[in-house]
Amino acid sequence: MTRSVLITKETDEVVLKSAAKTGRAFIVPFKPNSYVWIIVNQKPVKTLCMDVGLYSIQLNGRWYNWEEIESLGGVYESEFAALGSLG
């Protein structure tokens, strides 16, 4: 599962160039106002990513920290990736 990444002096050059190109202070794994997939009761569920912070993500209006999301099974860009995680 990809989390938000703070840009520091140790940040990889490729990531740093991408951040400079987009003008972002940190890299987020998902775009706000886009749909993502989470695992609920061993099934992928489509949900709206409303906002992403460095330590949390807002899905359908509720803030989750990354540890909560990880304990649920993660957050994924596609239904296929979510299904693949159930393995």
Side-chain angles (χ1 to χ4, degrees):
M1 181 181 79
T2 307
R3 296 181 181 202
S4 298
V5 178
L6 179 65
I7 294 176
T8 65
K9 290 190 282 186
E10 290 79 29
T11 300
D12 183 65
E13 188 174 329
V14 173
V15 173
L16 190 58
K17 284 182 181 181
S18 173
K21 184 178 179 181
T22 60
R24 295 182 179 150
F26 59 92
I27 305 300
V28 295
F30 306 104
K31 291 191 297 187
N33 299 322
S34 63
Y35 285 99
V36 296
W37 295 83
I38 60 172
I39 305 298
V40 177
N41 296 327
Q42 297 296 314
K43 295 179 184 176
V45 175
K46 190 175 183 179
T47 182
L48 181 63
C49 174
M50 300 178 85
D51 198 4
V52 181
L54 192 56
Y55 302 107
S56 58
I57 185 168
Q58 187 179 27
L59 302 173
N60 283 347
R62 181 172 182 255
W63 283 98
Y64 297 88
N65 64 35
W66 290 114
E67 288 73 27
E68 288 176 306
I69 290 294
E70 200 165 311
S71 70
L72 286 173
V75 59
Y76 303 92
E77 290 184 54
S78 69
E79 184 178 15
F80 181 74
L83 285 168
S85 74
L86 292 174

